[in-house]
Amino acid sequence: MDYAFSNRIAALQPSIIREILKATSGQNVIPFSAGNPAPETFPIEAIRTFTQAILEHDPVTALQYGITEGYAPLREALTTHLKKGFDTGKESDELFIVSGAQQGIELACKVFCNEGDTIICESPSFIGSLNTFRAAGAKLVGVPMETDGMDIEKLEHALQTEQNVKLIYVIPSFQNPTGITTSEEKRKAIYELAKKYGVMILEDNPYGELRFKGQDVPTIKSMDDEGLVIYVGSFSKILSAGLRVGYVLAPYEVVQKMVVAKQGEDVHTAMLPQILAYKFMAEYDYDSHIDSIRTIYHRKSALMIEQLKQHMGERITFTQPEGGLFLWCDLPHQVPMLEYAKTAAAQGVAVVPGTAFLVNESEPCNAIRLNFSTPSDEQIVKGIQILGQVLDSYK
């Protein structure tokens, strides 16, 4: 059979990260390429206890269809949490549950973008979102990242010159892949530009609660007096990635359209994980759990940075994130990045080539993304030593 795939899918390539994970699955490979939460952060005993209680006392709710908007107690708990903890959410907003933040991003694209419309993104940015936008037939325009977020002048230039701009996609806190946090000044500037040019902001904040040093920065959604911001969050990095529970907070009219779109995809997010997420918020020591994750990631990031300095010294530059899971490492200009990544993989260390995160993958890039949450402390020490030895071979 000669398969005639749709125009939207025919040219789409698999996620490089997913392919790397698949290729190294089950092997003795140090996983600097992953973006998974550390297994030691999973509250396994609590999940086991909550699951047993749910199936004993309320099995029908957990196993039956639910409404598309999501489990009401969870929606209420999240709405309160965002308002109290982050001053995020207005009376005109509504929150609903999605099957992971990735679905919230896809739904936002689906309800606002026609094929050929433009989405402005940070560059580099999260490959999962970039591929979602590509699959929708959107035109992607990248705005370079500076040390404190998007280049605001270039953002405005893109808004002035590009046609049919529908979304500005940003990951303001501990960005994937760079680890950069957008400053409050730039968050305000991005919002003001969105208001000036009448464009929606898609604020992706899966790492927002994982700050392990420095001061919190207000969400862009907390500044939203005009109904311009779609805010996406997730339990993947604080409870369990495999449960696939995320949420969207957006203006009521926007949520209504996203809910209709979700009905055509999966009817509703699985009920048992939603109830587990609610119990995690309502009956577990949520704040203490978050603090424990921050402590683990602070230690792991510090260890990776210490090892990078020891084994790669001043030959490289890298971000020093204040939270999240990643740092971005720029190799010396004379070192061929793709060859370096392949050589490292052959020696048992998987990293992600920086080109995977570019809006235009043909642009020059000599960086790799490193993840410090997934590998053990011993793997971090050994893996960075190997990366240093590979770098030594290019002297």
Side-chain angles (χ1 to χ4, degrees):
M1 178 65 184
D2 184 13
Y3 297 106
F5 294 114
S6 68
N7 293 337
R8 291 185 174 188
I9 295 298
L12 198 63
Q13 298 299 313
S15 161
I16 291 178
I17 300 168
R18 293 288 129 195
E19 293 302 301
I20 290 173
L21 290 174
K22 186 164 59 178
T24 58
S25 177
Q27 299 182 28
N28 188 25
V29 173
I30 296 172
F32 291 163
S33 57
N36 302 342
E40 61 265 36
T41 67
F42 297 155
I44 294 172
E45 288 303 318
I47 291 173
R48 181 181 290 118
T49 299
F50 288 147
T51 301
Q52 183 176 351
I54 292 165
L55 294 178
E56 284 182 0
H57 302 297
D58 195 11
V60 174
T61 301
L63 301 177
Q64 187 55 278
Y65 284 120
I67 64 171
T68 306
E69 288 84 350
Y71 184 57
L74 176 60
R75 294 171 66 204
E76 292 166 7
L78 280 167
T79 300
T80 300
H81 176 67
L82 290 174
K83 188 63 180 176
K84 289 179 65 176
F86 302 94
D87 191 29
T88 296
K90 310 291 185 187
E91 289 295 322
S92 56
D93 288 321
E94 187 173 12
L95 184 144
F96 78 108
I97 306 300
V98 287
S99 300
Q102 182 79 39
Q103 186 182 49
I105 292 163
E106 190 270 341
L107 289 171
C109 179
K110 180 175 284 186
V111 302
F112 278 102
C113 295
N114 295 311
E115 195 163 352
D117 285 343
T118 299
I119 300 176
I120 297 175
C121 308
E122 300 164 326
S123 189
S125 188
F126 172 48
I127 188 173
S129 295
L130 297 180
N131 274 346
T132 292
F133 302 149
R134 290 170 180 139
K139 176 186 177 183
L140 302 186
V141 174
V143 174
M145 291 290 282
E146 299 179 315
T147 57
D148 60 345
M150 295 175 96
D151 183 320
I152 297 300
E153 286 188 11
K154 291 183 179 178
L155 172 60
E156 180 157 29
H157 178 74
L159 288 165
Q160 289 172 337
T161 57
E162 296 294 335
Q163 299 297 310
N164 300 321
V165 178
K166 296 298 180 67
L167 294 171
I168 302 170
Y169 173 66
V170 291
I171 312 172
S173 296
F174 326 122
Q175 195 235 25
N176 181 2
T178 65
I180 289 170
T181 294
T182 299
S183 65
E184 182 173 0
E185 178 184 8
K186 283 199 171 179
R187 293 181 193 216
K188 290 177 178 177
I190 292 167
Y191 183 77
E192 290 302 317
L193 286 175
K195 182 164 63 173
K196 178 179 178 180
Y197 291 94
V199 177
M200 296 293 293
I201 296 171
L202 179 53
E203 181 178 11
D204 187 9
N205 195 28
Y207 316 106
E209 298 206 60
L210 301 183
R211 175 175 288 280
F212 45 69
K213 61 180 179 180
Q215 298 298 314
D216 283 331
V217 184
T219 65
I220 301 175
K221 183 63 179 170
S222 70
M223 308 170 187
D224 187 19
D225 295 320
E226 303 285 336
L228 297 175
V229 183
I230 302 166
Y231 180 91
V232 181
S234 174
F235 283 93
S236 291
K237 305 304 186 293
I238 60 173
L239 175 57
S240 160
L243 291 177
R244 308 310 301 138
V245 179
Y247 53 90
V248 175
L249 180 72
Y252 174 83
E253 293 86 349
V254 174
V255 167
Q256 295 310 300
K257 289 297 184 185
M258 294 178 76
V259 166
V260 172
K262 179 175 168 61
Q263 288 171 350
E265 294 187 359
D266 63 359
V267 183
H268 65 81
T269 299
M271 290 301 296
L272 180 57
Q274 288 193 70
I275 301 172
L276 280 170
Y278 168 69
K279 286 187 170 292
F280 172 67
M281 296 193 75
E283 300 179 23
Y284 197 65
D285 191 343
Y286 183 91
D287 291 338
S288 177
H289 177 72
I290 297 299
D291 284 343
S292 71
I293 297 176
R294 290 170 175 166
T295 298
I296 291 169
Y297 289 171
H298 194 184
R299 186 194 75 245
K300 286 192 164 193
S301 68
L303 177 61
M304 180 170 277
I305 288 169
E306 173 193 318
Q307 293 299 308
L308 285 169
K309 290 178 179 178
Q310 179 178 339
H311 294 289
M312 302 172 87
E314 296 181 356
R315 293 174 291 165
I316 62 166
T317 59
F318 53 88
T319 55
Q320 300 193 38
E322 297 181 336
L325 312 181
F326 308 106
L327 59 84
W328 186 251
C329 178
D330 286 295
L331 300 172
H333 65 86
Q334 74 275 14
V335 176
M337 180 269 295
L338 288 174
E339 181 182 303
Y340 177 88
K342 290 177 183 177
T343 304
Q347 297 192 26
V349 182
V351 301
V352 186
T355 47
F357 304 97
L358 298 182
V359 169
N360 179 359
E361 294 177 326
S362 65
E363 289 182 358
C365 177
N366 220 42
I368 56 175
R369 190 195 72 174
L370 301 179
N371 165 259
F372 51 79
S373 62
T374 308
S376 66
D377 290 3
E378 293 76 16
Q379 287 178 318
I380 290 173
V381 172
K382 181 179 178 182
I384 298 300
Q385 182 179 2
I386 292 171
L387 290 183
Q389 291 169 351
V390 174
L391 187 63
D392 287 343
S393 68
Y394 289 96
K395 284 183 176 178

